[in-house]
Amino acid sequence: MSIIRKIKDYYKRGLNSNLLFTTPSHSQGNFIPEDLKYVLGQNFYNSDFSEIEGFDNLRNPSGIIKDILDKLTEVYKSKRTFLLTNGSTSGVLAAVLSLLKDGDLILTARNCHISVCNAFILSGAAPVWIMPEYNKQWDIYTQVNPEQIELNLNKNPEIKAVVLTSPTYEGIFSDISTIAQICKKYGVFLIVDEAHGALLNFGAFKSKPAILCGADISIQSLHKTAGAPNPCALLHISKNSSINPETIQSALNLINTTSPSYPLMAAVEGTVDYLNSQAGRVAVEKLLNSISDFKTGLNENITCYEGNNDPTKILLKFKGKSGFEVSEVLNNKYNIEEEFSNNLSMLFITGIGTDKDKLYRLSNALNSIAKETADSDKLTSSSEFDYVLPKPALPLREAYFCSINQENITKLNAKDALGKISAQTLTAYPPGIPIIMPGEIINTQTIALAEKLLNHTVFAVFK
Ligand SMILES: Cc1ncc(COP(=O)(O)O)c(C=O)c1O
């Protein structure tokens, strides 16, 4: 049985005349503040139940929710797929918490999302950082080199797991098949943060989903490209993995709310049902074709990044203008907002809700701006980005808990903070790296990057 059908049935069979003296206390929409009717709508409230008779329980599913998990498991060809109503963030936390304990080493590429760092703080897992490759012309991190993974696993037999982001924010994949083979050889788990790859299972992408390439676990945000509302997501365990699904369920139960949203669970189900249908697959194909047409129609002064196997991430740059300059015109004159811009480039995120007309309006605006700059021979330069991994002085978890006590901390300007131990996390997208984590020693590059990306000039450090 499906959640969507269960909710529809509830009203069709007149069960709403039964009295529910349970949470939530709006009594299935009997109470809705007027302003919220516009924001959430009557149907949202009508569908918002707790775990009443017949509605199962996400923490220990045995009825309709188990049916949905079984269906998701089949669609994604996994050992078990879990439904997340708390974003990929909760999937990343659960994956790390279920595989590693305090002091265990985990090999991690530094272009990870902040949820990965938070998972280390919660679990006590100790990161061994590696840097992904960096493309100076576009100011972006690209793939994590498999050789670098092998080198580190070989050097450090204590490492228990590897966690990587693939595809990246910009749609760039690492070679997960090769990395998975290396991880198997050394007996370590591979977790892939695939938050940006939720359409991969439903279209002709050049790269395959991580669990089908040998990763043990992948986590996908359905809200990023696949059209579900925030923050619907999935965690998959690969069929070939030795990970016990019950371990993941326990970790999820540790961090998740005990009142999961039925409208959001229905959204996960409805979104995946659609993507997996003939109509959904056609829609993904249409999206990819529209993006391809969009790129072909761009003015010669605009260059698209072609090194990403996920074309739904449109990364481009203009001859003679910085991303910031184009962004200003695009926002002010054309009312179009991009995901991000930097000195070199701009990123536009598309997804299942992006139709041909939307892309057409964007290409018209970009082409008009490009024509205005056609006379310019000023070439966009490459980035001067330079990042040197800060050295750790204290274990991350210990430093974090030490930083809770404000008496241990002082705030210093950049000049005085150099060489001191950070008491805070600073992260910026792009390029997505945690610039500094608690317990790391602030270096010159940390300061330069924090100033450049965050306008950050005051640093919390340990006294
Ligand atoms: C690479 C990556 N992983 C994980 C997340 C967290 O995803 P969510 O917002 O679904 O919790 C994000 C969010 O931006 C992300 O970019």
Side-chain angles (χ1 to χ4, degrees):
M1 175 64 133
S2 109
I3 289 195
I4 300 170
R5 200 133 40 86
K6 183 84 185 168
I7 293 171
K8 278 187 181 163
D9 266 16
Y10 185 83
Y11 287 95
K12 218 158 113 194
R13 290 169 55 208
L15 293 177
N16 47 321
S17 63
N18 294 355
L19 299 184
L20 293 181
F21 285 94
T22 65
T23 58
S25 58
H26 57 68
S27 294
Q28 282 62 57
N30 193 36
F31 164 81
I32 313 179
E34 205 49 41
D35 282 352
L36 280 183
K37 279 189 185 154
Y38 176 75
V39 177
L40 292 176
Q42 184 73 46
N43 285 345
F44 175 88
Y45 280 90
N46 286 354
S47 315
D48 190 35
F49 292 93
S50 285
E51 289 115 339
I52 56 167
E53 190 59 37
F55 276 67
D56 207 4
N57 184 327
L58 183 61
R59 298 169 68 80
N60 183 21
S62 61
I64 55 166
I65 297 178
K66 179 177 176 299
D67 290 349
I68 291 165
L69 299 188
D70 289 347
K71 182 166 67 175
L72 292 172
T73 298
E74 209 179 305
V75 169
Y76 288 95
K77 301 182 175 62
S78 63
K79 182 183 208 174
R80 195 58 171 161
T81 289
F82 292 87
L83 174 167
L84 310 171
T85 57
N86 202 13
S88 283
T89 296
S90 62
V92 168
L93 296 182
V96 173
L97 282 167
S98 62
L99 300 183
L100 296 125
K101 57 182 188 323
D102 200 6
D104 282 349
L105 297 186
I106 179 162
L107 189 64
T108 316
R110 187 75 175 195
N111 62 334
C112 64
H113 183 252
I114 190 66
S115 56
V116 175
C117 306
N118 293 342
F120 300 158
I121 293 173
L122 289 174
S123 64
V128 175
W129 296 109
I130 49 173
M131 291 302 289
E133 290 173 6
Y134 174 65
N135 182 324
K136 218 174 153 100
Q137 267 64 48
W138 288 87
D139 192 11
I140 51 171
Y141 280 111
T142 59
Q143 62 148 351
V144 177
N145 189 333
E147 282 166 23
Q148 209 189 351
I149 302 268
E150 172 127 41
L151 204 76
N152 277 276
L153 293 182
N154 195 8
K155 201 169 72 185
N156 202 335
E158 301 286 295
I159 292 172
K160 297 263 176 19
V162 174
V163 59
L164 302 175
T165 307
S166 177
T168 62
Y169 194 43
E170 296 87 359
I172 298 158
F173 289 78
S174 290
D175 179 355
I176 297 299
S177 299
T178 305
I179 294 172
Q181 277 171 21
I182 296 168
C183 288
K184 294 247 157 19
K185 179 170 148 193
Y186 289 87
V188 306
F189 293 113
L190 175 60
I191 304 168
V192 177
D193 177 350
E194 208 171 45
H196 291 278
L199 285 180
L200 289 180
N201 302 71
F202 307 103
F205 292 87
K206 284 190 199 144
S207 294
K208 282 198 300 182
I211 58 160
L212 302 185
C213 295
D216 288 281
I217 290 183
S218 72
I219 301 116
Q220 298 178 324
S221 291
L222 283 172
H223 61 94
K224 289 192 192 296
T225 50
N230 284 336
C232 292
L234 298 167
L235 181 152
H236 312 287
I237 307 176
S238 151
K239 257 190 182 143
N240 300 323
S241 174
S242 60
I243 295 170
N244 185 337
E246 283 177 29
T247 322
I248 299 287
Q249 182 71 64
S250 310
L252 286 170
N253 291 351
L254 205 62
I255 54 170
N256 276 343
T257 171
T258 52
S259 311
S261 159
Y262 277 77
L264 288 186
M265 286 194 273
V268 170
E269 184 192 12
T271 301
V272 175
D273 277 351
Y274 173 74
L275 291 172
N276 194 39
S277 68
Q278 175 69 9
R281 287 170 190 274
V282 169
V284 175
E285 195 185 326
K286 265 194 188 158
L287 171 69
L288 296 181
N289 288 338
S290 304
I291 292 168
S292 171
D293 292 347
F294 163 86
K295 288 185 177 171
T296 315
L298 287 178
N299 182 289
E300 61 192 13
N301 289 317
I302 306 171
T303 312
C304 278
Y305 182 76
E306 296 295 349
N308 54 358
N309 280 354
D310 176 3
T312 65
K313 304 295 169 59
I314 302 173
L315 185 68
L316 51 83
K317 61 178 164 182
F318 276 63
K319 187 174 171 189
K321 269 204 186 280
S322 76
F324 293 129
E325 286 171 290
V326 177
S327 168
E328 204 179 320
V329 185
L330 202 59
N331 280 263
N332 295 340
K333 189 166 167 192
Y334 296 96
N335 297 321
I336 297 177
E337 191 171 328
E338 75 283 12
E339 173 72 13
F340 82 74
S341 287
N342 63 23
N343 207 20
L344 299 177
S345 59
M346 310 180 77
L347 180 69
F348 298 85
I349 290 194
T350 68
I352 199 77
T354 311
D355 59 20
K356 224 179 163 68
D357 287 347
K358 192 173 170 189
L359 287 169
Y360 182 69
R361 214 179 122 195
L362 176 62
S363 68
N364 274 348
L366 293 175
N367 285 344
S368 303
I369 298 171
K371 276 183 204 138
E372 288 162 22
T373 64
D375 292 340
S376 170
D377 57 0
K378 190 178 87 186
L379 277 173
T380 316
S381 59
S382 63
S383 164
E384 288 148 20
F385 175 72
D386 177 23
Y387 186 75
V388 175
L389 269 173
K391 291 204 167 67
L394 286 173
L396 175 56
R397 180 178 164 91
E398 184 186 327
Y400 174 81
F401 285 107
C402 217
S403 73
I404 288 173
N405 184 347
Q406 293 299 313
E407 286 177 9
N408 292 333
I409 298 175
T410 184
K411 293 199 172 153
L412 297 177
N413 62 32
K415 185 167 59 70
D416 298 322
L418 184 65
K420 296 277 192 291
I421 302 171
S422 173
Q424 69 187 149
T425 303
L426 290 178
T427 318
Y429 275 91
I433 49 159
I435 298 169
I436 189 88
M437 299 285 297
E440 292 178 340
I441 299 171
I442 296 172
N443 62 28
T444 319
Q445 290 82 5
T446 311
I447 291 173
L449 206 61
E451 283 178 350
K452 178 179 148 193
L453 299 178
L454 301 172
N455 283 329
H456 199 88
T457 51
V458 177
F459 294 80
V461 300
F462 288 111
K463 282 181 187 164

